[in-house]
Structure formats: C-alpha cells, structure tokens
C-alpha cells in the first residue's frame, strides 16, 4: 500500500506548525514563562529553539523521509543495516511518550471544550471580574467527575475523528483553515490587551530579561518547553517527515515551521501577560492563568463576551492541531507494524489512552483521585513532568547520537547536500555528534 503524502508543501508546513502551535504555545508557554521570571526565560527559550530545535527538526524529518516510516520503522531499518537492535527501543520510547502526553493533554483539551461552551453563554457565571470566584468555578468544574470526564472524552473523540480522515483530508485540511484563524484571533486580542492602562508593566516583565534569575531548573523547563512546543522528541516530526515528498526542501521548511511556532509562543505571551498586569492579577498563577485569570480580564473589557468566545475557540483550535499530530504517531505505528486500518488504529488507541487519561482527569483538586500522589505529584503532573522533562530530552539525546554516528549517510542525502564537505552538513554533523548531546546532558544535570 502506497504511503500517504501531504497534498502540498504549504499544507505540510501549516500541518507541522499546527502540531507545534498547540496548547504548549497558547496555554503552557505564558504561565511557564511567567513563573520562570519573564524576559530571561523568553530569551533562553528562543536560543534553544533556534539552535537545538532547528537541527533536531531537520534531523527528524530527514530520518522519517528516508525510512518512509515512523520512529519505530526508522530504527528497525538501521538495525537491518547492521546497527545494534537496542536502537529500536528509542522508537518504542517515542510511542510511549506520545501515549502519556495524550493521557494528560486531552484533559486540558477537554477544559478548552468546556470553557468554549461556557463562553457562548454571554452574561453567565464565566463573565465576572472576581478572580477568586472564577478559581472556585474552575476548581468545581475539574473536581466534578462527570463533567470533567465528559469534556475529556469529547475532546479525545474530536481528535480521533480528525485523524481518521487521514493525512491530506484530515490533518492537512484542519491546519489549512484553522491555523490562519488562530493567528488572526491572537492579533486581535493582543492589540486590545496592549491598549489597557497598566499593560506596560506586563510588557516590561515579559520582554526585559533579568539574567540573575537563571537557575538550573529554569534551563530544564526552557528545554522541555522548547521540545514540547516544537513537537520534538515524541516522534511526531519523524512521522510527518515520512509523508514529505522528495522535492520538499527540509531546511527551508523547518525554518518556516520554527518561525511560526516561536512567533506564536511569543504572541501568546503578549496576549496573556500585559492584560494580567493591567488588572493587578498574579502572573504566576500557573495553569489557572488561562482558565481563571483571562475570563476575569474579559469581564473588564467592552464586548468581553465576544473576546472570550474568540479566545477559548483559539485554545480549542490550538489544542486540536497538536493533539491530532500526537495521535498520528501512534496510529501510523499501528498501521506500519500491524497492518491495521486507520479507523481501527485510531479508535482502539483513543479507547486505551482514555483509560490512563481518566486517572489524570480525576486527579485534579476535588476529583476522586485528587489526594493520590506518585513521587509527590498528582497523576496529571506526573505525566507532564515525565514526558517534558525526562522522556523527551532523553529521546532527543539518543536521537542526536543515532543520527550523528549511526545514520548520518541518510541525513546527508535527505537534506540534499551530497557533498559531505559543505558548510551546512559539516556543521550539522558536529552539532549532532558533540554539541547537542553535551547541551542536553548539562541542562538536565543542572536541573537536578
């Protein structure tokens, strides 16, 4: 059976950017930046994304296109060519990573579904300037087993329905239409937020770096968020690379995707932090910065209900464009390895991660598993920490070593520079063999 391909280079770039521009950009980036000191974290995040991120994205695409397979197939092919069978464990590790990410990511996706529906009820309890009342409302929602579980399952079903549509008709079509809408809505909210009295304080906090605030934990958070927001270290870009046509220029396309992803993160900070400061709310609220503080901000705005509807629709769009790409890694694996149909692979996968994800869903404060902790973390936080700070960096460390020392000939031919003495290829090879592994190890050790 012929492997699916993207319908166009433009559609592929938007699909890859849509994977990167998910809740990692719109929901997670603002509050992680705020809790890590603002401007200095932004600076470190950008530096990591434009160096480590660029090389790894090109590498993952090159490996996927060369093997015409997802991450497991990539390492199995290398094994057939004489590499150690142990390399195949990295591929299976990416499948586990995606599964665990979906288990908590779809919980947050369910929140976006519920809050978008809440925002349609103009004048309802969502529209109040009382942040404490909004926090109580949010806690009551996530602590309600029925409504939180129903929202979680609804979002999971939406994700699966899109993936069943396939690469070109499902994922690419979604990205083509919704990604431009996402950027437009963000720009509208940014313009309105920056015109509020007192918004300058939030702007300075966000843009002015204070390098005295740099810590080992901050470096780990920046690397984890960079990998998460660029969809690296979880097999997504390897899988997407397997659908790329031979004519697509990998370096140029990766630059476009990283530009769109990093720009969206930057715009998300501009959208959230200045209004938060303008109304005197705490920028370090955490996940509640989105679900608790932003509705209070909208309550202060003329036509606030319209802005709220736009904002939560934006979150839902961002969540879907990313969740479909994570699920696609697992679906592609099941199709390649077991010959399953796309429909069967997608629906059986969603049934499985709904079981593990339900634990994360019910682990919020007030939920049935709210008091249950593992290594001092709730199941939701455990999934998040394990994937972002451990599995993804370790996966990229192994991938860099594999690409630089074992599979370099594949990288070289796919990037298009057949002359191994070219500046680009020599720089990438040195980066993969020495610089990236050292960077990742140092950052992870500094965070211990």
């Amino acid at each position: 059976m012929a492997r699916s391909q993207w319908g166009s280079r433009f559609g592929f770039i938007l699909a890859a950017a849509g994977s990167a521009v998910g809740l990692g950009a719109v929901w997670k980036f603002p509050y992680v930046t705020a809790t890590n000191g603002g401007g200095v974290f932004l600076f470190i995040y950008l530096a990591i994304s434009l160096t480590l991120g660029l090389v790894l994205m090109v590498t993952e695409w090159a490996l996927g296109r060369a093997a015409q397979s997802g991450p497991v197939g990539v390492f199995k092919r290398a094994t057939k060519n004489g590499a150690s069978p142990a390399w195949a464990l990295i591929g299976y590790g990416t499948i586990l990573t995606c599964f665990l990410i979906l288990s908590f990511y779809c919980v947050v996706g369910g929140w976006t579904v519920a809050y978008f529906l809440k925002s349609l009820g103009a004048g309802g309890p969502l529209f109040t300037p009382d942040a404490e009342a909004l926090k109580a409302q949010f806690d009551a929602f996530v602590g309600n087993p029925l409504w939180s579980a129903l929202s979680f399952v609804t979002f999971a079903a939406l994700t699966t329905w899109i993936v069943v549509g396939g690469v070109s008709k499902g994922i690419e079509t979604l990205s083509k239409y919704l990604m431009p809408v996402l950027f437009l809505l963000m720009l509208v909210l940014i313009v309105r937020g920056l015109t509020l009295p007192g918004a300058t304080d939030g702007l300075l906090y966000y843009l002015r770096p204070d390098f005295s605030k740099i810590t080992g934990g901050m470096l780990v958070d920046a690397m984890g968020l960079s990998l998460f927001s660029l969809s690296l270290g979880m097999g997504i870009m390897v899988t997407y690379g397997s659908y790329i046509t031979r004519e697509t220029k990998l370096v140029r396309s990766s630059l476009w995707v990283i530009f769109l992803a990093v720009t969206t993160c930057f715009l998300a900070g501009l959208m959230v932090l200045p209004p938060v400061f303008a109304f005197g709310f705490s920028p370090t609220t955490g996940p509640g910065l989105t679900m608790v503080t932003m509705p209070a901000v909208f309550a202060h705005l003329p036509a606030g209900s319209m802005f709220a509807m736009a904002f939560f629709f934006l979150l839902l769009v961002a969540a879907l464009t990313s969740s479909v790409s994570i699920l696609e890694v697992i679906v592609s694996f099941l199709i390649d390895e077991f010959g399953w149909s796309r429909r069967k692979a997608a629906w059986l996968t969603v049934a499985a991660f709904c079981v593990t994800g339900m634990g994360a869903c019910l682990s919020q404060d007030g939920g049935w598993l709210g008091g249950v902790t593992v290594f001092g973390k709730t199941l939701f936080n455990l999934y998040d920490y394990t994937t972002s700070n451990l599995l993804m960096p370790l996966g990229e460390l192994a991938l860099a070593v594999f690409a630089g020392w074992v599979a370099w000939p594949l990288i070289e031919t796919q990037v298009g520079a057949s002359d191994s003495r070219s500046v680009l290829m020599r720089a990438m090879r040195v980066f993969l063999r020495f610089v990236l592994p050292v960077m990742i190890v140092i950052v992870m050790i500094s965070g211990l």
Side-chain angles (χ1 to χ4, degrees), residues 26-64:
V26 184
W27 166 70
K28 193 172 185 180
F29 180 83
Y31 84 78
V32 174
T33 301
T35 54
N36 278 281
V40 65
F41 183 85
L42 173 65
F43 176 83
I44 294 172
Y45 166 82
L46 292 175
I48 291 176
S49 297
L50 295 173
T51 52
L52 180 148
L54 175 61
V55 174
L56 289 178
M57 185 171 291
V58 173
T59 300
E60 291 197 19
W61 283 354
L63 289 173

Side-chain angles (χ1 to χ4, degrees), residues 361-387:
C361 181
L362 300 177
S363 68
Q364 305 301 311
D365 289 342
W368 287 346
L369 301 178
V372 177
T373 60
V374 180
F375 301 115
K377 300 181 183 297
T378 65
L379 290 178
F380 181 95
N381 291 331
L382 181 67
Y383 291 160
D384 187 4
Y385 179 85
T386 301
T387 53

